[in-house]
Amino acid sequence: LDFIDLLSLLVLVNIGNHFDLKASVFQAPRRGIYSFSFHVVKVYNRQTIQVNLMQNDFPVISAFAGDQDVTREAASNGVLLMVERDDRVYLKLERGTLMGGWKYSTFSGFLVFPL
Amino acid sequence: LDFIDLLSLLVLVNIGNHFDLKASVFQAPRRGIYSFSFHVVKVYNRQTIQVNLMQNDFPVISAFAGDQDVTREAASNGVLLMVERDDRVYLKLERGTLMGGWKYSTFSGFLVFPL
Amino acid sequence: LDFIDLLSLLVLVNIGNHFDLKASVFQAPRRGIYSFSFHVVKVYNRQTIQVNLMQNDFPVISAFAGDQDVTREAASNGVLLMVERDDRVYLKLERGTLMGGWKYSTFSGFLVFPL
């Protein structure tokens, strides 16, 4: 681990409480196995949402929130990913809309094992 | 990582299955970036609960469980946090009550990157 | 960390999107503290499910999904575990059935601190 890894960690730390989806693309500073997890909260919204964790242009895992009767519900998932240098990892709202924006949502990742 | 880091990890490990909220304050043995996650389960409870992850006296992230018709539902979230030495990180039940206590709830944290 | 740790990580990485439960038993290559998390998704299923994270033959933590009115819901939890060499860690569907199989479910683990 060195300074550039640290930078990428801090980027993810900063997006904790409220995050701008456009600013939340993680570009891997080095090859390795990373741990990613997300919790995307829908607020007062009767639509089902589907959130994909994307590696470059491919969906890796999905999460769903589809309850019509609750005010806040999270679509959550997490995974260990083998990532090449400069791969881009980000969240995509595949289905539904987030009327309340990304409030309370989090997206975190860190390097577990450099390769 | 040294013995004191290990101790703080073990404290968190021990609180896995059933935990005493008062005993679950994590006091950081050193400055660094830590990964924290929690799953708080409400049981037979029609109230909405809100759980905050607190750093010292400030809420960092929140999670909600508000379904009225299920017997068990979890309020879950997780985040990477920049923590100063001796910072206190803990869970706070901001809204609602846990009639069944903290059974099945978990709170985990570990040092990802020392600074 | 060495090659055998890496292998065990890759096993868990591979089970991300769709996984065969039988193939997802994690056998610890060394003593240490590991982080495990899972998200098990039930699809079009009105039964409550309970998923246990098992260490050898003992349940460590549980998660539940019991909403009758949503198409997809996840039973999620995570924990830091003290694991002896050759311990087996796996998921067990303690209650209910997964009609849609393990699609969208994930199970991840990695070594946080070798002992």
Side-chain angles (χ1 to χ4, degrees):
Chain A
L1 292 178
D2 58 20
F3 187 68
I4 197 162
D5 297 305
L6 181 56
L7 275 185
S8 59
L9 277 174
L10 288 175
V11 169
L12 289 166
V13 170
N14 286 337
I15 64 176
N17 203 14
H18 293 66
F19 71 86
D20 172 14
L21 193 62
K22 288 206 183 69
S24 73
V25 175
F26 172 77
Q27 188 155 9
R30 65 170 62 191
R31 192 168 182 257
I33 294 176
Y34 291 74
S35 168
F36 291 99
S37 64
F38 60 91
H39 301 262
V40 174
V41 178
K42 75 177 178 77
V43 183
Y44 296 106
N45 181 348
R46 297 177 73 85
Q47 291 181 294
T48 290
I49 61 167
Q50 177 181 357
V51 180
N52 287 348
L53 179 74
M54 308 290 290
Q55 185 174 14
N56 299 321
D57 297 327
F58 299 96
V60 181
I61 54 173
S62 297
F64 302 86
D67 198 315
Q68 303 208 343
D69 297 322
V70 296
T71 52
R72 289 186 184 83
E73 192 193 9
S76 301
N77 214 336
V79 74
L80 292 172
L81 264 191
M82 166 79 190
V83 173
E84 299 293 330
R85 188 179 164 165
D86 294 330
D87 274 4
R88 294 160 58 253
V89 180
Y90 56 97
L91 297 180
K92 184 183 172 191
L93 191 62
E94 184 69 28
R95 187 156 37 128
T97 54
L98 288 177
M99 299 180 195
W102 294 79
K103 194 174 178 186
Y104 297 118
S105 297
T106 60
F107 176 37
S108 311
F110 56 89
L111 181 62
V112 174
F113 196 100
L115 293 175
Chain B
L1 291 177
D2 57 21
F3 187 68
I4 197 162
D5 297 306
L6 181 57
L7 274 186
S8 59
L9 277 173
L10 287 174
V11 169
L12 290 166
V13 170
N14 286 336
I15 64 175
N17 204 14
H18 294 66
F19 71 86
D20 171 14
L21 192 63
K22 289 206 183 71
S24 72
V25 174
F26 172 78
Q27 187 155 9
R30 64 169 64 191
R31 193 167 182 256
I33 294 175
Y34 290 75
S35 169
F36 291 98
S37 64
F38 61 91
H39 300 261
V40 174
V41 177
K42 75 178 176 78
V43 183
Y44 296 108
N45 180 348
R46 296 177 73 85
Q47 291 181 294
T48 291
I49 61 167
Q50 176 179 357
V51 181
N52 287 348
L53 179 74
M54 307 291 290
Q55 185 174 14
N56 300 321
D57 297 326
F58 299 96
V60 181
I61 54 172
S62 297
F64 302 85
D67 198 315
Q68 304 208 343
D69 297 322
V70 296
T71 52
R72 288 187 185 82
E73 192 192 8
S76 301
N77 213 336
V79 74
L80 292 172
L81 263 191
M82 166 78 190
V83 174
E84 299 294 329
R85 187 178 165 166
D86 294 329
D87 275 4
R88 295 160 59 254
V89 181
Y90 55 97
L91 297 180
K92 183 182 173 192
L93 191 62
E94 184 69 29
R95 189 157 34 129
T97 54
L98 287 177
M99 299 182 194
W102 294 78
K103 194 174 178 186
Y104 298 118
S105 296
T106 61
F107 175 37
S108 311
F110 56 89
L111 181 62
V112 173
F113 196 99
L115 292 176
Chain C
L1 291 177
D2 58 20
F3 188 67
I4 197 162
D5 297 305
L6 181 56
L7 274 185
S8 59
L9 277 173
L10 288 174
V11 170
L12 289 165
V13 170
N14 286 337
I15 64 175
N17 204 14
H18 294 66
F19 72 85
D20 172 16
L21 192 62
K22 288 206 183 69
S24 72
V25 174
F26 173 77
Q27 188 154 10
R30 67 169 62 190
R31 191 167 183 260
I33 294 175
Y34 291 74
S35 168
F36 291 98
S37 64
F38 60 91
H39 301 261
V40 174
V41 177
K42 75 177 177 77
V43 184
Y44 296 107
N45 181 349
R46 297 177 74 84
Q47 291 181 294
T48 291
I49 61 167
Q50 177 180 357
V51 181
N52 288 348
L53 179 74
M54 307 291 288
Q55 184 174 16
N56 299 321
D57 296 328
F58 299 96
V60 181
I61 53 172
S62 298
F64 302 86
D67 198 315
Q68 303 208 344
D69 297 321
V70 296
T71 52
R72 288 186 185 84
E73 191 192 10
S76 301
N77 213 336
V79 74
L80 292 171
L81 263 191
M82 165 77 190
V83 174
E84 298 294 329
R85 188 179 165 166
D86 294 330
D87 274 4
R88 296 159 59 253
V89 180
Y90 56 97
L91 297 181
K92 183 182 172 191
L93 191 62
E94 184 69 27
R95 188 156 36 128
T97 55
L98 288 177
M99 298 181 194
W102 294 79
K103 194 173 178 186
Y104 297 118
S105 296
T106 59
F107 176 37
S108 311
F110 56 89
L111 181 61
V112 173
F113 196 99
L115 292 175

